[in-house]
Amino acid sequence: MQAVILVGGEGTRLRPLTSNQPKPVITLVDRPFLVYMLEWLRGHGVDDVILSCGFEPTKVREALGDGSRLGIKLQYVVEPEPRGTAGALRYAADELGGLDETFLMLNGDVLTDVDVTAQLRQHAETGASATLGLVPVDDPSAYGLVLCDPTSAVSGFLEKPAPSQLRGIDRYYISAGIYVLEPSVLDMIPSGQEVSIERTIWPALVGNGLHGSQADGAYWMDIGTPERYLQGTFDILEGNVRTAVAERMGAGYTALADGVRVDGRVVPPAVVGAGSSIGAGAHIGSLVVLGEGVTVGEGARVERSVVLDGVRVGRGAVLQDCIVAAGVEIADGAVVRGGAVLGEGVRVGAGNILSAGIKVFPGTDLPAGAIKF
Ligand code: GDD
Ligand code: MG
């Protein structure tokens, strides 16, 4: 089965993590983000994926190639300019000479284990033109709110609803960005234009073959901000979302790669990449990812944090609730906490205390004692 994944967005809200790497391939625990989506889709019978890209996806290609490693055929389609969510689909279909059978379309920024097989089954049973995967949320304001009648037919679609539109609704189901579509939907999208699927196509399909498939109990998260990136990481480590990482960690909730040297202590759940070393008296975990080749000095403490490849953490340094991109150097005794995000190659001198969600852009050099909050 074919699937079109939209990956046209720039991921600005995830900067500085996306300053050097596009959002689809930023590392999440131990693999590029999009690999989670591809592994999940493969488990539901998808073997041919079209990535709809907004700009030349060199780094995405470098990370994912032709998909053969994942057992999927991967094709890249690059728009001449952003076409919007429906325009991008139409452009990809035109470039490929059409899509003939029932296919999937996905937003490229969700970490999920929604049962797509059940959604496909429902789609076939109802004879729908389009079936939207739905997940329950407390606050639908940042999403597409979907109202269904008891037969699962969609009776209303409200993209980014205003508070006044929520009156009288007791349970909010939103579009999860997981769609089963018939090729006939393509004919509704004009070629060569910017068109939003949420604002133009779904409203036109209400009462006309648009259905919703409720995925209660599934895991679903848009990973587009540092807070949600960290939460997604923790959920993978805890096994709250079904992924290959959970299988890798096993019952001990710990994955130490080959050649890891541990003189300190690792508290699960934790993942430590190849060639990393943890000094005497250092404390790693719980809820920690160390990438490959990370050095943690004696007596340092790392908790609820992501520390990517090649980072050097000095003796006695403290890292809590933070994201540290590849190649960062943190001096002895420095403190990084409170949602701080350090971009690639940042250098944090001794005596710095970084917190309160501070974002430090790639390559920045913070001299000793420069920041203390
Ligand atoms: N190729 C391409 N071209 N991709 C695009 C374009 C475009 O012009 N515009 C957006 N995308 C991609 C983004 O990269 C993302 O993967 C997906 O389309 C959705 O865009 P977002 O900008 O992330 O939308 P959103 O999160 O505000 O809302 C959408 O997702 C919600 C679920 O997370 C909507 O589909 C909502 O209805 C939905 O609830
Ligand atoms: Mg999104």
Side-chain angles (χ1 to χ4, degrees):
M1 188 169 46
Q2 287 189 304
V4 178
I5 307 183
L6 299 185
V7 292
E10 283 186 59
T12 46
R13 289 177 304 165
L14 260 178
R15 283 182 194 151
L17 293 179
T18 47
S19 302
N20 307 68
Q21 261 187 322
K23 180 160 82 168
V25 292
I26 57 169
T27 302
L28 187 60
V29 183
D30 63 353
R31 59 200 75 198
F33 167 68
L34 214 47
V35 170
Y36 291 91
M37 291 196 75
L38 297 172
E39 288 172 336
W40 161 65
L41 291 171
R42 189 188 51 199
H44 291 285
V46 172
D47 55 4
D48 185 353
V49 170
I50 298 105
L51 292 181
S52 161
C53 309
F55 36 83
E56 174 48 36
T58 313
K59 292 197 171 168
V60 181
R61 270 188 229 262
E62 278 169 15
L64 304 176
D66 65 1
S68 48
R69 261 175 302 152
L70 294 160
I72 281 181
K73 175 179 169 195
L74 210 48
Q75 310 183 66
Y76 299 81
V77 172
V78 186
E79 291 155 37
E81 70 277 321
R83 288 283 167 89
T85 43
L89 170 65
R90 178 70 204 238
Y91 183 80
D94 289 348
E95 285 290 292
L96 297 170
L99 300 167
D100 313 317
E101 292 167 0
T102 306
F103 64 95
L104 291 168
M105 172 172 167
L106 304 118
N107 288 345
D109 56 3
V110 293
L111 174 66
T112 183
D113 56 15
V114 163
D115 184 353
V116 180
T117 301
Q119 187 177 337
L120 283 161
R121 202 182 310 125
Q122 183 192 315
H123 179 82
E125 282 165 7
T126 60
S129 305
T131 301
L132 312 177
L134 309 179
V135 288
V137 295
D138 294 332
D139 176 9
S141 58
Y143 304 108
L145 177 65
V146 183
L147 309 175
C148 289
D149 73 18
T151 69
S152 88
V154 174
S155 54
F157 188 97
L158 301 166
E159 183 66 15
K160 314 280 184 313
S164 62
Q165 296 177 292
L166 302 180
R167 273 186 222 120
I169 304 171
D170 52 1
R171 191 129 193 251
Y172 304 128
Y173 279 96
I174 56 136
S175 165
I178 305 166
Y179 320 130
V180 181
L181 302 179
E182 290 306 309
S184 60
V185 173
L186 295 169
D187 301 331
M188 301 174 66
I189 309 169
S191 275
Q193 294 180 29
E194 184 182 339
V195 185
S196 159
I197 208 159
E198 296 87 351
R199 295 186 190 276
T200 307
I201 306 303
W202 302 150
L205 269 174
V206 170
N208 246 326
L210 186 64
H211 281 248
S213 171
Q214 296 174 350
D216 292 88
Y219 181 90
W220 184 89
M221 162 104 69
D222 174 333
I223 57 123
T225 65
E227 296 74 29
R228 284 186 270 149
Y229 171 92
L230 262 187
Q231 188 58 50
T233 300
F234 299 161
D235 288 329
I236 291 168
L237 296 182
E238 296 273 29
N240 294 336
V241 50
R242 228 169 298 149
T243 69
V245 175
E247 285 162 34
R248 189 186 151 207
M249 296 190 4
Y253 286 86
T254 309
L256 301 185
D258 294 341
V260 171
R261 182 180 167 140
V262 183
D263 292 322
R265 191 172 156 212
V266 176
V267 181
V271 170
V272 181
S276 291
S277 69
I278 297 163
H283 177 115
I284 303 299
S286 67
L287 295 170
V288 166
V289 173
L290 300 186
E292 296 183 2
V294 173
T295 312
V296 178
E298 286 174 19
R301 193 170 183 94
V302 184
E303 297 172 299
R304 301 177 305 275
S305 295
V306 175
V307 179
L308 296 174
D309 296 354
V311 171
R312 300 175 68 87
V313 179
R315 277 178 307 198
V318 176
L319 276 62
Q320 290 165 330
D321 308 289
C322 63
I323 306 169
V324 179
V328 169
E329 287 184 30
I330 297 170
D332 294 352
V335 177
V336 184
R337 64 183 178 216
V341 186
L342 309 187
E344 268 183 37
V346 165
R347 288 174 22 177
V348 180
N352 280 289
I353 302 175
L354 308 181
S355 68
I358 189 173
K359 296 186 170 74
V360 185
F361 279 75
T364 306
D365 207 339
L366 295 174
I371 299 181
K372 292 199 183 209
F373 71 88

